[in-house]
Amino acid sequence: MENASARNMWGSYLKNHLEDVFHETPKTMYFGDNETNANENANLIKTGVKKAITHSLLGLQNRHEPLPKIGDYIVVTNYSGEAQCIVATTAVTIKPYFSIDSAYAHLEANGDKTLEYWKKYHWDLFSRELQKFNREPRESMIVVCQEFKMVHS
């Protein structure tokens, strides 16, 4: 792990969770594609409000990133790369964008937590992300819904 603050946070977590000492080193990342969103998401996770994140399957594939899996740990950072907390993945669901419901939008906790806000926020996010790969989002595109719980801050 190259990020010193993430390495220190993971070490702090392991001091009290020796059962995870041989666990794969967690991914270190922020959620969002800009400073405002990344910092807001980190704060929502730290306060226990945000419990999910959604990825576009095309984005993961084009970046050659593996699908998240239950039991994965992530050291969540702010946009500057400073570790904020550690989350553990509790569920992963792959489904079409159009099938997201209001209960899931509430778990993501962005904006006013409504499905309408979720759709606008993610459409804009996926538009920016997929543009880099000469693709456009569609209602039928596949998204990866990753639910998690905060395990350390």
Side-chain angles (χ1 to χ4, degrees):
M1 192 180 303
E2 293 178 24
N3 181 317
S5 70
R7 188 172 48 253
N8 290 339
M9 183 168 279
W10 182 241
S12 174
Y13 170 79
L14 289 177
K15 283 180 187 175
N16 297 316
H17 298 276
L18 293 176
E19 69 276 12
D20 290 325
V21 76
F22 293 109
H23 196 281
E24 180 180 314
T25 302
K27 187 180 217 177
T28 300
M29 64 186 295
Y30 57 82
F31 295 131
D33 68 343
N34 61 64
E35 185 171 2
T36 300
N37 289 347
N39 293 342
E40 178 182 296
N41 285 328
N43 286 332
L44 289 170
I45 294 167
K46 276 178 27 179
T47 58
V49 175
K50 185 174 187 67
K51 297 176 179 143
I53 193 80
T54 305
H55 314 273
S56 72
L57 182 60
L58 274 174
L60 291 174
Q61 290 172 330
N62 282 295
R63 289 188 307 273
H64 306 287
E65 292 183 26
L67 288 171
K69 61 186 183 307
I70 294 171
D72 282 350
Y73 289 102
I74 300 169
V75 178
V76 178
T77 70
N78 61 17
Y79 191 75
S80 300
E82 299 159 341
Q84 302 296 301
C85 61
I86 299 172
V87 298
T89 301
T90 58
V92 178
T93 310
I94 298 172
K95 58 173 80 177
Y97 175 88
F98 66 76
S99 71
I100 297 296
D101 60 22
S102 57
Y104 182 77
H106 189 78
L107 285 177
E108 276 223 36
N110 291 104
D112 62 5
K113 302 180 190 176
T114 63
L115 180 58
E116 292 74 26
Y117 189 95
W118 184 96
K119 286 189 172 204
K120 168 87 172 91
Y121 177 93
H122 285 84
W123 192 266
D124 292 347
L125 176 69
F126 296 149
S127 293
R128 292 187 302 271
E129 174 188 45
L130 296 177
Q131 181 180 28
K132 298 171 192 168
F133 309 111
N134 297 315
R135 303 292 296 265
E136 294 180 3
R138 302 183 192 282
E139 286 286 326
S140 60
M141 71 180 161
I142 303 301
V143 295
V144 180
C145 303
Q146 181 177 6
E147 295 179 41
F148 50 76
K149 65 179 178 180
M150 186 180 61
V151 295
H152 188 74
S153 64

